């Protein structure tokens, strides 16, 4: 028997074990195959949970707005400076900038090193 505890409930599943003996003439090895049956998830074991998507979407929208405010205050700010000031990753910074560009709120003028952000 295989046991798994989850939320103080005990789930008991009987595995199916098949043994195959190889052929010594062809050097085929012995095999053991263990399969576990599919068990329907008992919804009572799981709490209602939170709506991650809504929460995460709100966090992203707030981050995008903070990035926009920093660009407004300093159009020559770099991605690294934005990430540092907001204590976020460079990837999160790039995602926020992509969001602002996609929504036609900002555009970049000049090179990556010496350019500046233009508010549209």
């Amino acid at each position: 028997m295989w046991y798994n505890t989850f939320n103080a409930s005990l789930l008991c599943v009987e595995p199916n074990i098949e043994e195959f003996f190889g052929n010594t003439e062809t050097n085929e090895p012995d095999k053991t195959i263990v399969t576990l049956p599919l068990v329907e998830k008992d919804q009572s074991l799981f709490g209602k949970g939170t709506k991650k998507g809504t929460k995460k979407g709100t966090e992203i929208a707030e981050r995008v707005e903070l990035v926009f405010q920093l660009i407004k205050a300093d159009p020559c700010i770099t991605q690294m400076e934005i990430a540092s000031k907001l204590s976020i990753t460079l990837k999160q910074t790039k995602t926020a900038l992509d969001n602002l560009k996609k929504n036609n709120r900002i555009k970049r003028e000049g090179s990556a090193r010496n350019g500046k952000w233009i508010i549209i």
Side-chain angles (χ1 to χ4, degrees):
M1 286 264 162
W2 177 77
Y3 294 96
N4 181 25
T5 56
F6 184 76
N7 283 353
S9 296
L10 190 62
L11 179 64
C12 192
V13 178
E14 185 71 38
N16 181 29
I17 301 173
E18 297 177 74
E19 291 189 62
F20 299 95
F21 298 100
N23 187 338
T24 54
E25 292 176 11
T26 61
N27 274 346
E28 186 180 339
D30 295 345
K31 295 187 260 187
T32 301
I33 299 175
V34 178
T35 54
L36 296 173
L38 292 176
V39 178
E40 190 172 327
K41 184 167 47 172
D42 183 1
Q43 294 299 324
S44 67
L45 297 176
F46 302 94
K48 285 190 174 188
T50 60
K51 294 198 175 210
K52 275 185 167 179
T54 306
K55 182 180 177 190
K56 195 170 188 174
T58 304
E59 288 174 7
I60 292 171
E62 290 171 358
R63 187 180 308 129
V64 168
E65 202 50 44
L66 288 172
V67 169
F68 184 72
Q69 295 303 322
L70 285 175
I71 290 172
K72 235 166 125 174
D74 179 10
C76 295
I77 195 166
T78 66
Q79 291 181 10
M80 289 298 290
E81 290 171 333
I82 292 170
S84 175
K85 286 184 180 189
L86 296 179
S87 299
I88 59 176
T89 66
L90 190 57
K91 172 84 170 137
Q92 290 172 321
T93 303
K94 289 179 180 183
T95 301
L97 291 169
D98 288 343
N99 186 309
L100 288 168
K101 287 188 247 182
K102 185 179 80 176
N103 292 320
N104 293 321
R105 295 182 70 192
I106 62 169
K107 69 177 182 177
R108 183 76 176 174
E109 187 177 90
S111 68
R113 187 171 286 178
N114 297 319
K116 63 180 182 176
W117 297 104
I118 305 294
I119 309 259
I120 301 174

